[in-house]
DNA sequence: CTAGGGTTAG
């Protein structure tokens, strides 16, 4: 290596460390004769880190010779870009290039298949990794462990873990996470107890694991035992409460966090807004909004969508639509949220208009999009429009109607008074009707006081789930109108036991 | 010059 090359690389390294990608590029461009493979790799890495994968790829293609770091860096870029197709293609090209893949290579390539259909390749990667002797790497190991967790293979999960001699904390944490995701809470707890050293991530993984397995009490007990809690630990606990419908506990914990915990972040606010939305706590939601502004938290797309959902579910449609309109970038979830808002408030036309706008913006709808649009049509009595959407969802958008979509159509026909059409749709649908479907028909029967259809639907519902509240409510309406009360003596009791707590009032955010 | 762990919206 000439002196000039080492100077060039030093200058580039300094610029990159300061985040000055363009400065590094100027040094690189001005010294074509002194560049070596490391100079090229540094530039590729710089573009990968700033998510400019196209430029990284361009440099990779242009460079006169590539070493394994060049390949690994571009693989990392493609993985970060979630382009698993190209990642795998590049890995195949690497195989025929004659260069030997390293443990870096496998940790990247295995990570790229996680959560995709290519996850089935994990055992083959594993075999290859063992044959090349890379199975002792903690980086490769943690990627493989996540892969086997997704495949539901707990013994392979442990084998990979066991193969690694120098286990670090991340690897132990991956084992706990894997067991928790597979529902093996006892194994997870045992692993936690066996760990030589634990950090806040280990504790949080355990707490979150119990929450995901619906063991809320145990999660809270461990949460209280933690002596080092950070924003992630608090947020995990709050999110866990929301997920198990303990919204008031979630809000209470959030208040406690504001008083004596770490500063909440976007994740925290998104969760507590979800709690407000679920529990229709408009006042609390507004206070959260105010305190978020006070904390100077940046409202990103996720948080803005959480606000739209919260305001929509709490009935403040104006606020919901206002935030939605002002959002700079709207993604699928944002659109689904506003479509759900229209649906809840019976604004069928608005839903159809926004659905069209969403399609025109180039987004691909998913099954939730159609649930929201169809239920908006049902609420607004737009039978023909609903039929048209239902008909095209599979043909035009490749989304096959699921039970929920049929339930929307049953609701649509039912509300419009066309009980025959609703019934024949139930008969020809490719699923066994469930609670939701029968419930929709029952609702329509209640609306139109149809005793015959109604008792049939109620019977079906009763067979599927005893004491379903919807059945009681609607039967009371039908039977009540006909003066048939004797079978409903315990109705009032049931309703009282489901009584919701009243919303607290007053400000609690200082 | 390249790699891994826990928390967000429908």
């Amino acid at each position: 290596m000439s002196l000039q090359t080492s100077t060039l690389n030093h200058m580039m390294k300094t610029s990159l460390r300061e985040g000055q990608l363009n400065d590094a590029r100027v040094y690189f461009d001005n010294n074509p004769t002194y560049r070596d493979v490391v100079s090229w790799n540094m530039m590729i890495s710089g573009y990968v880190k700033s998510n400019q994968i196209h430029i990284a790829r361009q440099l990779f293609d242009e460079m006169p010779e590539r070493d394994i770091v060049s390949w690994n860096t571009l693989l990392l870029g493609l993985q970060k870009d979630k382009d698993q197709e190209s990642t795998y293609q590049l890995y195949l090209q690497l195989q025929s290039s004659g260069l030997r893949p390293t443990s870096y290579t496998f940790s990247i390539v295995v990570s790229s298949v996680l959560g995709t259909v290519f996850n089935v390749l994990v055992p083959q990667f594993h075999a290859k990794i063992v044959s090349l002797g890379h199975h002792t790497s903690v980086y490769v190991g943690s990627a493989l462990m996540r892969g086997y967790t997704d495949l539901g293979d707990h013994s392979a999960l442990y084998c990979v873990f066991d193969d690694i001699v120098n286990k670090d904390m991340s690897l132990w944490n991956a084992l706990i996470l894997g067991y928790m995701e597979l529902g093996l809470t006892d194994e997870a707890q045992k692993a936690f107890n066996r760990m030589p050293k634990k950090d806040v991530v280990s504790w949080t993984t355990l707490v979150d694991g119990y929450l995901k397995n619906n063991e809320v009490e145990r999660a809270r007990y461990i949460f209280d035992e933690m002596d080092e809690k950070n924003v992630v630990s608090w947020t995990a606990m709050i999110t866990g409460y929301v997920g198990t419908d303990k919204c008031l506990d979630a809000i209470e914990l959030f208040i406690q966090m504001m008083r004596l915990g770490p500063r909440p972040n976007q994740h925290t606010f998104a969760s507590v807004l979800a709690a407000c939305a679920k529990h229709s706590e408009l006042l609390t939601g507004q206070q959260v909004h105010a305190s978020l502004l006070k904390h100077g938290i940046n409202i990103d797309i996720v948080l803005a969508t959480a606000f739209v959902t919260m305001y929509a579910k709490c009935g403040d449609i104006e606020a919901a639509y206002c935030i939605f309109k002002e959002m700079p970038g709207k993604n699928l979830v944002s659109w689904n949220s506003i479509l759900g808002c229209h649906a809840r408030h019976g604004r069928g036309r608005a839903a159809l208009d926004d659905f069209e706008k969403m399609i025109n913006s180039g987004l691909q709808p998913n099954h939730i999009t159609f649930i929201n649009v169809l239920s908006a049509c049902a609420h607004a009595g737009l039978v023909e429009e609903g039929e048209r959407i239902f008909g095209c969802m599979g043909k035009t958008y490749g989304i096959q109607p699921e039970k929920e979509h049929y339930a929307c159509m049953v609701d649509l026909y039912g509300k419009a008074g066309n009980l025959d059409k609703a019934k024949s749709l139930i008969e020809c649908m490719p699923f066994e009707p469930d609670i939701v479907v029968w419930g929709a028909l029952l609702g329509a029967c209640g609306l139109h006081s149809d005793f015959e259809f109604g008792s049939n639907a109620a019977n079906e519902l009763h067979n599927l789930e005893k004491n379903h509240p919807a059945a009681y409510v609607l039967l009371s309406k039908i039977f009540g109108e006909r003066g048939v009360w004797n079978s409903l003596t315990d109705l009032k009791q049931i309703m009282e036991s489901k009584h919701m707590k009243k919303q607290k009032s007053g400000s609690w955010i200082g």
Side-chain angles (χ1 to χ4, degrees):
Chain A
M1 188 201 280
S2 68
L3 181 63
Q4 289 91 338
T5 296
S6 85
T7 310
L8 170 63
N9 285 348
H10 180 76
M11 299 305 281
M12 287 177 60
K13 197 171 164 182
T14 307
S15 299
L16 288 168
R17 204 168 31 215
E18 290 165 358
Q20 301 298 326
L21 181 57
N22 291 335
D23 290 356
R25 183 65 193 250
V26 172
Y27 288 123
F28 180 79
D29 283 345
N30 288 342
N31 294 280
T33 49
Y34 300 137
R35 293 171 196 157
D36 67 356
V37 65
V38 175
S39 331
W40 285 90
N41 289 348
M42 278 197 284
M43 281 319 300
I44 295 173
S45 173
Y47 285 112
V48 163
K49 287 205 173 100
S50 65
N51 297 314
Q52 296 179 268
I53 183 67
H54 294 295
I55 305 182
R57 171 134 229 169
Q58 215 175 308
L59 288 173
F60 179 86
D61 290 335
E62 276 174 30
M63 65 195 294
E65 56 181 43
R66 295 168 267 275
D67 66 5
I68 188 63
V69 175
S70 325
W71 289 86
N72 288 347
T73 308
L74 187 61
L75 282 168
L76 177 68
L78 294 170
Q79 189 239 358
K80 269 180 67 178
D81 202 36
K82 298 199 167 83
D83 188 349
Q84 64 282 125
E85 193 75 50
S86 307
T87 311
Y88 191 59
Q89 285 300 327
L90 193 69
Y91 168 73
L92 294 178
Q93 280 174 254
L94 167 61
Q95 276 195 318
S96 47
S97 78
L99 283 169
R100 272 174 79 87
T102 61
S103 60
Y104 276 81
T105 316
F106 288 106
S107 84
I108 296 163
V109 175
V110 173
S111 295
S112 83
V113 303
L114 300 172
T116 74
V117 287
F118 300 112
N119 204 10
V120 295
L121 297 172
V122 163
Q124 285 160 58
F125 279 123
H126 191 188
K128 183 97 187 164
I129 285 162
V130 171
S131 74
L132 292 173
H134 291 312
H135 58 292
T136 53
S137 151
V138 286
Y139 293 99
V140 176
S142 64
L144 283 174
M145 284 165 72
R146 280 191 293 149
Y148 280 122
T149 300
D150 290 348
L151 291 174
D153 190 340
H154 70 271
S155 32
L157 168 71
Y158 186 77
C159 285
V160 173
F161 173 81
D162 202 34
D163 259 357
I164 292 161
V165 187
N166 299 314
K167 302 172 177 56
D168 64 6
M169 259 192 277
S170 288
L171 202 75
W172 279 96
N173 293 343
L175 184 67
I176 297 171
L177 181 69
Y179 280 142
M180 281 299 191
E181 276 182 15
L182 296 174
L184 303 169
T185 53
D186 290 344
E187 294 304 317
Q189 180 72 58
K190 275 186 228 157
F192 180 81
N193 296 342
R194 272 175 54 207
M195 279 182 82
K197 261 174 87 63
K198 309 165 183 36
D199 65 3
V200 64
V201 179
S202 325
W203 284 89
T204 306
T205 307
L206 192 70
V207 168
D208 190 55
Y210 279 122
L211 288 167
K212 299 240 159 78
N213 284 285
N214 283 315
E215 294 192 39
V216 190
E217 302 297 321
R218 178 164 292 241
R220 180 57 192 261
Y221 179 79
I222 295 164
F223 178 79
D224 288 337
E225 294 281 291
M226 294 174 69
D227 44 31
E228 185 204 345
K229 297 196 251 296
N230 64 13
V231 60
V232 180
S233 330
W234 284 86
T235 306
M237 193 66 223
I238 291 170
T239 308
Y241 276 137
V242 181
T244 49
D245 286 327
K246 298 185 187 306
C247 297
L248 293 176
D249 289 319
I251 292 167
E252 204 179 302
L253 193 63
F254 176 69
I255 296 167
Q256 208 180 318
M257 179 180 178
M258 301 277 284
R259 279 212 316 268
L260 41 89
R263 280 178 84 81
N265 64 15
Q266 281 149 321
H267 298 253
T268 324
F269 279 105
S271 282
V272 77
L273 285 173
C276 298
K278 263 196 184 179
H279 212 259
S280 298
E281 296 269 356
L282 179 59
L283 197 60
T284 312
Q286 287 165 338
Q287 288 172 344
V288 170
H289 198 164
S291 98
L292 178 140
L293 296 174
K294 212 158 20 184
H295 276 251
I297 299 253
N298 175 41
I299 300 186
D300 65 1
I301 190 165
V302 172
L303 210 39
T305 305
F307 270 115
V308 172
T309 308
M310 186 276 291
Y311 279 120
K313 285 202 177 151
C314 294
D316 193 341
I317 314 167
E318 294 302 316
Y321 210 79
C322 188
I323 293 173
F324 177 77
K325 262 202 327 233
E326 299 300 319
M327 283 175 75
K330 302 172 178 64
N331 65 12
L332 176 62
V333 180
S334 328
W335 282 102
N336 283 350
S337 180
I338 202 68
L339 291 172
C341 174
H342 291 319
R344 257 188 304 279
H345 299 99
R347 307 198 306 181
R349 288 289 166 200
L352 290 168
D353 287 349
D354 274 341
F355 175 69
E356 206 180 308
K357 281 187 207 152
M358 172 188 164
I359 299 300
N360 290 337
S361 81
L363 282 167
Q364 190 65 23
N366 68 0
H367 69 282
I368 295 172
T369 314
F370 287 105
I371 291 172
N372 289 341
V373 175
L374 290 174
S375 98
C377 290
H379 283 292
L382 300 173
V383 178
E384 281 171 25
E385 291 83 347
E387 278 181 329
R388 183 174 59 78
I389 298 278
F390 186 71
C392 78
M393 60 183 281
K395 270 196 291 256
T396 311
Y397 302 102
I399 312 285
Q400 293 315 316
E402 292 159 38
K403 253 184 220 173
E404 288 96 329
H405 303 102
Y406 278 92
C408 288
M409 291 308 287
V410 169
D411 193 34
L412 177 83
Y413 289 132
K415 280 207 173 69
N418 200 336
L419 294 176
D420 290 307
K421 229 168 170 174
K423 186 121 195 287
S424 58
L425 190 68
I426 292 180
E427 275 157 5
C428 77
M429 70 180 213
F431 312 100
E432 281 303 303
D434 68 351
I435 295 170
V436 182
V437 173
W438 286 119
L441 185 63
L442 185 59
C445 296
L447 205 60
H448 297 281
S449 303
D450 192 302
F451 185 75
E452 196 191 321
F453 267 142
S455 27
N456 184 20
N459 272 333
E460 299 281 1
L461 195 58
H462 191 71
N463 288 339
L464 285 170
E465 187 180 323
K466 300 224 183 306
N467 297 328
H468 193 278
Y472 283 91
V473 174
L474 289 152
L475 280 174
S476 92
K477 195 170 183 308
I478 300 166
F479 290 145
E481 281 165 8
R482 299 190 147 229
V484 188
W485 279 112
N486 39 349
S487 63
L488 292 157
T489 43
D490 56 353
L491 178 68
K492 203 162 169 259
Q493 261 182 319
I494 290 166
M495 294 314 292
E496 271 168 3
S497 73
K498 307 251 172 211
H499 194 259
M500 302 251 278
K501 287 181 199 164
K502 274 164 76 177
Q503 179 178 318
K504 282 185 200 156
S505 57
S507 174
W508 39 261
I509 291 170

